[in-house]
Amino acid sequence: MKKKQQHPGGGADPWPHGTPLGGAPPGLGSWKRRVPLLPFLRFSLRDYGFCMATLLVFCLGSLFYQLSGGPPRFLLDLRQYLGNSTYLDDHGPPPSKVLPFPSQVVYNRVGKCGSRTVVLLLRILSEKHGFNLVTSDIHNKTRLTKNEQMELIKNISTAEQPYLFTRHVHFLNFSRFGGDQPVYINIIRDPVNRFLSNYFFRRFGDWRGEQNHMIRTPSMRQEERYLDINECILENYPECSNPRLFYIIPYFCGQHPRCREPGEWALERAKLNVNENFLLVGILEELEDVLLLLERFLPHYFKGVLSIYKDPEHRKLGNMTVTVKKTVPSPEAVQILYQRMRYEYEFYHYVKEQFHLLKRKFGLKSHVSRPPLRPQFFIPTPLETEEPIDDEEQDDEKWLEDIYKRPAGSVSPARLQSFQTSQLQSPQRSWLAPG
């Protein structure tokens, strides 16, 4: 008869079929020896620790990616919808499909890039389609402290959905503070044109005439107000030199202090955010195509926007916000500006290429030529409306308030003339509360 195996301490071996899973009991020192689990699988405490460390690194990496603001689900769905292939200009649009519907959209509008036109359209569209348009009564604070970011994100995230939030503010990372990352949209324009529009707007205002400058920039001295644009550029005045010319990129880079320093770091981070968080960044010079794509991507918000935009009465509203007394600087001054804004132009051309790629995917033709040595100037039309941008300025939307309260539709010429007259005669400002 076969003799039972004896335990070293006496008695029968409690594990007659081998050491249990996880190793031998304390005191036997068998944790260090390799133990067979399966004929082809062996492990030790060191192997076990390595596996757990690898799993921990993977989990932390995944969490860090999410907290760093990975692409919203809608953008991932949209990329799958569009596919990886590109369409040549002579191809038609892709087959009709059903797009996902984002219930959280943020338009962190860049100043002097036609956003007044878009805001007016959104007011009409929000009543027409029933989404919640959330605006802010703070127009001159784009850079926020950590606490201000948390408070603003909390307020936005608790808004009734579907919502579209709009404000002049640098990119906010909702994921960093535990919120759902919304879908971003925006519009930019040629950087030198944007700068010139702001330069003259700060001094002379818009359709309300030169008297308006006393309201917008009351602290500006007369010699500063009538400073020749060429002298400002060639003599290197602070208003016409870096970092004051580094303006568009921070709206896409974000709230990090380095986002306000002209350089490669801010540029690359802005590009990354455009790819990961922005559904569409359009070009003001091609505004009709921007509206077409917005209507295609976000029909629940922008359906019918182009017909409203082309309405003759809506075009008359655009006449109210054209900057006056705008002049073009000399070629020498333009070339200097162009060099000082090289990061802005690299970003602008990058966005423009991405925008044209989207247009090709939907069969919209773009006439693209090689960028010239200096930027081409587009004289703003009444539809390329203007926007104040400096921290010193305040965005006056009182002129829109009466229009917003009306049902969606056009404004009669008689009422428009009456509204313009009343605005010219009234020096007081009141600010539009959040919508």
Side-chain angles (χ1 to χ4, degrees):
M1 180 178 293
K2 194 172 182 179
K3 201 172 182 182
K4 288 187 177 181
Q5 292 179 332
Q6 295 294 315
H7 187 271
D13 188 349
W15 300 287
H17 300 293
T19 308
L21 181 66
L28 295 183
S30 58
W31 275 101
K32 293 184 179 179
R33 76 171 185 268
R34 297 182 177 272
V35 199
L37 289 179
L38 293 173
F40 53 86
L41 181 63
R42 294 173 178 271
F43 80 95
S44 67
L45 180 60
R46 180 183 300 173
D47 298 330
Y48 178 78
F50 177 77
C51 291
M52 294 304 296
T54 303
L55 179 62
L56 178 62
V57 169
F58 174 80
C59 293
L60 290 177
S62 176
L63 178 62
F64 176 78
Y65 177 73
Q66 296 180 49
L67 293 179
S68 297
R73 179 66 190 176
F74 174 77
L75 291 188
L76 297 177
D77 291 342
L78 179 64
R79 289 166 188 168
Q80 183 178 8
Y81 167 86
L82 291 174
N84 296 323
S85 62
T86 60
Y87 288 81
L88 298 178
D89 284 344
D90 57 350
H91 282 191
S96 177
K97 301 177 184 178
V98 178
L99 271 172
F101 170 57
S103 59
Q104 302 170 83
V105 179
V106 172
Y107 174 29
N108 63 322
R109 49 195 178 123
V110 180
K112 309 304 291 178
C113 290
S115 60
R116 279 196 176 184
T117 290
V118 180
V119 168
L120 177 56
L121 290 169
L122 285 171
R123 288 287 181 173
I124 298 172
L125 292 167
S126 65
E127 292 190 9
K128 183 177 180 181
H129 300 313
F131 63 86
N132 183 20
L133 180 62
V134 185
T135 61
S136 174
D137 57 351
I138 301 175
H139 308 286
N140 59 344
K141 189 174 179 61
T142 58
R143 305 185 292 269
L144 309 178
T145 65
K146 183 178 179 180
N147 289 336
E148 289 171 337
Q149 293 178 56
M150 293 175 61
E151 186 67 23
L152 180 57
I153 289 174
K154 178 182 177 181
N155 291 339
I156 298 173
S157 299
T158 56
E160 181 182 354
Q161 298 183 18
Y163 69 74
L164 191 151
F165 174 78
T166 177
R167 172 178 164 176
H168 293 301
V169 64
H170 295 168
F171 174 79
L172 293 165
N173 189 340
F174 284 57
S175 302
R176 181 186 176 195
F177 300 101
D180 294 330
Q181 190 70 2
V183 169
Y184 275 81
I185 59 174
N186 217 321
I187 301 174
I188 64 174
R189 73 189 292 188
D190 179 277
V192 169
N193 279 334
R194 189 214 60 81
F195 165 75
L196 293 175
S197 184
N198 176 58
Y199 183 89
F200 292 103
F201 182 83
R202 291 185 66 230
R203 287 159 170 77
F204 308 114
D206 49 25
W207 58 265
R208 282 164 288 192
E210 189 176 348
Q211 67 176 15
N212 186 55
H213 66 232
M214 296 306 296
I215 300 173
R216 290 203 176 271
T217 52
S219 61
M220 185 175 287
R221 302 186 304 273
Q222 288 298 93
E223 59 269 25
E224 182 183 359
R225 190 180 309 283
Y226 293 98
L227 175 65
D228 180 73
I229 182 67
N230 292 299
E231 181 180 352
C232 181
I233 297 169
L234 298 176
E235 297 298 327
N236 203 28
Y237 281 72
E239 186 177 1
C240 299
S241 61
N242 283 327
R244 293 299 294 272
L245 303 181
F246 191 72
Y247 183 79
I248 296 175
I249 287 177
Y251 275 87
F252 300 88
C253 178
Q255 298 289 335
H256 194 284
R258 292 186 67 184
C259 287
R260 301 190 290 273
E261 300 173 5
E264 292 290 338
W265 188 91
L267 171 64
E268 293 305 318
R269 182 158 176 164
K271 290 180 180 179
L272 180 64
N273 279 332
V274 166
N275 292 335
E276 289 198 346
N277 294 290
F278 282 81
L279 168 65
L280 176 67
V281 182
I283 302 297
L284 180 63
E285 294 84 1
E286 303 172 39
L287 184 55
E288 286 196 14
D289 288 342
V290 176
L291 298 178
L292 272 173
L293 288 179
L294 285 172
E295 185 172 7
R296 186 69 182 87
F297 289 154
L298 302 172
H300 298 79
Y301 297 92
F302 287 94
K303 185 177 180 180
V305 64
L306 203 57
S307 61
I308 299 173
Y309 174 74
K310 290 183 175 180
D311 186 277
E313 298 301 331
H314 184 273
R315 289 175 179 262
K316 290 182 180 180
L317 294 179
N319 286 328
M320 295 191 289
T321 57
V322 175
T323 299
V324 299
K325 296 183 180 294
K326 186 185 295 185
T327 60
V328 177
S330 67
E332 180 186 3
V334 170
Q335 188 62 36
I336 291 175
L337 276 181
Y338 193 44
Q339 293 300 322
R340 291 175 182 173
M341 303 173 82
R342 60 189 181 277
Y343 294 113
E344 294 275 272
Y345 268 101
E346 185 173 342
F347 181 73
Y348 173 75
H349 290 306
Y350 175 81
V351 167
K352 194 172 185 178
E353 289 173 1
Q354 298 298 314
F355 179 64
H356 286 167
L357 175 61
L358 275 177
K359 287 173 60 174
R360 289 196 297 273
K361 284 179 178 286
F362 285 90
L364 300 176
K365 293 187 177 182
S366 297
H367 302 287
V368 185
S369 59
R370 181 173 296 180
L373 293 177
R374 61 174 62 93
Q376 295 292 325
F377 284 94
F378 301 90
I379 303 302
T381 67
L383 295 179
E384 294 179 7
T385 53
E386 309 298 346
E387 197 74 49
I389 66 167
D390 272 353
D391 289 350
E392 307 158 5
E393 300 172 11
Q394 292 179 322
D395 184 2
D396 176 21
E397 291 186 348
K398 182 65 177 72
W399 68 278
L400 293 174
E401 189 172 9
D402 184 60
I403 300 170
Y404 292 162
K405 292 179 179 178
R406 300 178 64 246
S410 61
V411 180
S412 67
R415 183 162 187 174
L416 177 61
Q417 180 62 37
S418 172
F419 187 68
Q420 290 177 332
T421 304
S422 66
Q423 287 294 300
L424 282 168
Q425 293 174 347
S426 175
Q428 300 298 322
R429 299 293 177 96
S430 62
W431 308 107
L432 188 63

